[in-house]
Amino acid sequence: MKPNRLNRMAVLVISTMSLAGMSIPANAQQQPQEEQKQLHKQPQQQEPSQKQLEQDQKRQQQQEQKRTRQQAQEEQKQQEKQSQEKERLQRQSEEKQKRQEQQQQERARQQAQEEQRQQEKQSQEKERLQRQSEEKQKRQEQQQQERARQQAQEEQRKQQKEAQEKERSERQSEQRDERREREAEQQDRRISRQQQQQLIHQQQEEVKQYRRYLEQQESRAREQAEELRRQNRLAQYRYQEEYLEHLRQQQRRLRDERFDYDRDPYFYAAPIYRYRRGGRYYEINRYGANVLRQALHAGYAQGFRAGEADRRDRWRAAYRDSYAYRDASYGYRGYYISRSEYNYYFREGFRRGYEDGYDSRYRYGRYANDNYFMSDDILSQILNFESIR
């Protein structure tokens, strides 16, 4: 900017000098000092103008710079404001998104809690229903067991009553038979007194052994009963309980009985039959023969009931597994014949009765007067008595 100003001043001086020389040529020499003064004055007069211009220009530049700076500051402020607004909007957006996420999480948490409560409620309801079902089933089982127990007790009482009635009937029948036998004993041939005493001694030993045997059977029978209960063989269990009760009655009767050996006709009546068993012949009087017949009838009746019980329990046919078959003492009084002899014929009747009871038929026997009896033909074939008189 300064060179331009100097150039303009030089042009101005030259122009002034040219005008002065053209208008006043005569006194050009006389006025050199004045011109010089004027020349010295003009720069002095022009110098403030130049400075002023420079100042003005400087002020303008400063103003311009200030405006530029202010504009830059304004733009910077606008940018900062925009940036702040952008950041604010960004924060608002982030906060809004964060709130939305929190709300979603809260809804999800509440939904999960609600689902969990529903599941817990369903689980509790299921457990409640399960408990109710189990309690109901348990009550039904208890009621069923109670009914079965009452039914079993009722059947047992009925069977005991029937057994007592049967026993009474049998005693009456035995008494009638004894009366008939006593009437017929007068016709029997008597054995010697020595033979009579020998029979009495054998009989007394047999009774002692039979008493000891009965005392030992209770524990064995209990074990067998528990085994039947574990196998859920209720019909066979009830039958065995009836059988054991009869054995107890036999034991009590044998314990309380006062037997008069001297007056009993068995111990002085001579044998009238002979029969074959195990390849040997045995002789027996009419009283002993009646006991063998009773053993066959009792065995058949008990075998029929045992086979019928296994059929009701849907159990396999196995007569040898029955406690009654192994015991084979039902109806044995302990007199006239040995227990082993009675056991043999009882089992012969039991095997045949079991087959009929299990197959629900009457191949070897018959049913009459609320009891089972072996048929006379089968009984005669088994005993095959031969008269020796």
Side-chain angles (χ1 to χ4, degrees):
M1 296 298 293
K2 290 181 178 182
N4 292 330
R5 291 177 179 175
L6 292 175
N7 289 334
R8 287 195 297 268
M9 292 175 63
V11 172
L12 181 59
V13 171
I14 293 172
S15 300
T16 306
M17 291 177 64
S18 298
L19 291 172
M22 291 178 62
S23 60
I24 314 176
N27 55 1
Q29 293 179 355
Q30 294 179 355
Q31 298 176 342
Q33 292 179 351
E34 294 178 356
E35 293 177 355
Q36 289 179 357
K37 290 179 181 180
Q38 290 178 353
L39 287 172
H40 286 294
K41 278 174 125 178
Q42 289 177 355
Q44 291 177 354
Q45 293 175 353
Q46 292 176 354
E47 184 175 359
S49 299
Q50 185 67 25
K51 288 181 180 180
Q52 186 175 0
L53 289 172
E54 290 176 354
Q55 289 175 356
D56 292 340
Q57 188 175 6
K58 186 176 181 180
R59 279 195 302 271
Q60 291 177 354
Q61 289 177 351
Q62 290 175 350
Q63 291 175 356
E64 186 175 353
Q65 290 176 356
K66 184 176 180 182
R67 284 194 301 271
T68 303
R69 186 172 62 255
Q70 290 175 351
Q71 184 177 1
Q73 291 176 350
E74 185 67 23
E75 290 178 355
Q76 184 177 1
K77 288 180 181 179
Q78 289 294 330
Q79 290 177 355
E80 290 177 353
K81 186 176 180 180
Q82 291 176 357
S83 177
Q84 292 175 353
E85 182 66 18
K86 185 177 180 181
E87 290 178 357
R88 186 182 64 80
L89 294 175
Q90 182 68 22
R91 283 195 303 272
Q92 288 180 350
S93 177
E94 291 176 353
E95 290 175 355
K96 182 178 180 180
Q97 185 177 359
K98 186 176 180 180
R99 284 195 301 273
Q100 290 177 348
E101 290 176 354
Q102 290 176 346
Q103 291 174 354
Q104 289 178 353
Q105 291 176 355
E106 181 65 19
R107 285 194 297 271
R109 186 181 64 80
Q110 292 177 354
Q111 185 177 0
Q113 289 179 347
E114 183 64 24
E115 291 177 355
Q116 185 177 1
R117 283 194 295 270
Q118 289 294 330
Q119 290 175 356
E120 290 177 353
K121 186 176 180 181
Q122 292 176 357
S123 178
Q124 292 174 355
E125 181 67 16
K126 185 177 179 181
E127 290 178 357
R128 185 183 66 82
L129 294 175
Q130 182 68 21
R131 285 195 302 271
Q132 287 181 349
S133 176
E134 291 176 353
E135 291 174 356
K136 183 179 179 181
Q137 185 177 1
K138 187 176 180 180
R139 286 195 300 271
Q140 290 176 349
E141 290 177 354
Q142 290 176 347
Q143 291 173 356
Q144 186 176 1
Q145 291 175 356
E146 181 64 20
R147 287 194 297 270
R149 187 182 64 80
Q150 292 176 354
Q151 184 178 1
Q153 289 178 348
E154 184 63 27
E155 289 180 0
Q156 186 176 2
R157 286 193 294 268
K158 183 178 179 182
Q159 289 172 357
Q160 289 176 355
K161 185 176 180 181
E162 291 176 353
Q164 292 172 356
E165 182 64 25
K166 180 184 173 183
E167 186 177 356
R168 185 182 64 81
S169 178
E170 288 177 353
R171 283 199 302 270
Q172 291 177 352
S173 178
E174 290 174 359
Q175 291 173 358
R176 286 194 300 270
D177 292 340
E178 288 177 358
R179 285 196 299 270
R180 286 195 297 268
E181 292 294 338
R182 281 194 295 271
E183 292 173 356
E185 72 177 342
Q186 297 177 355
Q187 302 175 0
D188 292 336
R189 183 171 54 87
R190 289 176 176 264
I191 61 176
S192 65
R193 182 62 179 175
Q194 183 179 1
Q195 290 176 325
Q196 181 182 3
Q197 292 299 320
Q198 185 178 0
L199 281 176
I200 291 173
H201 179 72
Q202 292 176 354
Q203 184 66 76
Q204 289 173 342
E205 291 297 323
E206 187 71 32
V207 169
K208 290 179 182 179
Q209 294 178 6
Y210 184 50
R211 285 174 177 171
R212 287 195 295 268
Y213 171 80
L214 289 175
E215 291 172 356
Q216 297 170 359
Q217 290 309 298
E218 188 68 25
S219 60
R220 298 175 184 175
R222 289 296 94 202
E223 294 176 0
Q224 179 77 9
E226 290 300 323
E227 180 66 20
L228 292 174
R229 187 175 294 177
R230 285 194 297 270
Q231 294 172 348
N232 200 27
R233 297 168 63 183
L234 299 180
Q236 190 64 242
Y237 173 80
R238 288 193 292 269
Y239 162 71
Q240 181 171 311
E241 287 297 306
E242 177 188 353
Y243 185 92
L244 292 175
E245 180 59 29
H246 189 84
L247 287 186
R248 296 186 190 101
Q249 293 175 6
Q250 290 181 193
Q251 185 179 11
R252 289 192 294 269
R253 186 168 58 247
L254 185 63
R255 184 183 62 243
D256 299 337
E257 190 173 25
R258 298 294 180 264
F259 197 82
D260 190 352
Y261 292 96
D262 292 329
R263 299 184 60 182
D264 192 287
Y266 170 80
F267 296 100
Y268 58 77
I272 60 173
Y273 301 115
R274 74 169 185 172
Y275 61 97
R276 183 181 179 87
R277 181 173 70 86
R280 292 181 57 187
Y281 279 102
Y282 299 88
E283 292 183 353
I284 195 168
N285 60 24
R286 70 176 70 249
Y287 307 101
N290 287 337
V291 174
L292 293 182
R293 294 187 186 96
Q294 292 171 10
L296 284 169
H297 285 308
Y300 179 84
Q302 297 307 310
F304 194 100
R305 290 189 173 94
E308 188 177 41
D310 277 345
R311 176 170 53 83
R312 288 177 179 174
D313 288 334
R314 300 182 182 275
W315 197 257
R316 65 183 183 279
Y319 68 90
R320 293 181 183 273
D321 294 340
S322 174
Y323 175 81
Y325 179 84
R326 293 199 295 268
D327 173 70
S329 298
Y330 188 98
Y332 181 58
R333 295 179 57 192
Y335 298 99
Y336 296 174
I337 64 174
S338 67
R339 186 168 60 87
S340 61
E341 191 81 357
Y342 188 94
N343 294 159
Y344 174 82
Y345 286 101
F346 179 92
R347 292 181 180 124
E348 287 295 309
F350 187 94
R351 177 173 61 84
R352 292 168 173 82
Y354 185 94
E355 292 180 9
D356 281 359
Y358 194 86
D359 297 335
S360 188
R361 62 181 182 180
Y362 294 99
R363 180 181 176 185
Y364 301 104
R366 68 185 187 278
Y367 180 78
N369 298 325
D370 294 331
N371 200 3
Y372 301 95
F373 300 92
M374 179 173 283
S375 64
D376 295 337
D377 294 340
I378 301 299
L379 187 143
S380 298
Q381 291 176 11
I382 297 172
L383 293 175
N384 194 20
F385 286 139
E386 296 178 9
S387 177
I388 59 176
R389 289 182 59 182

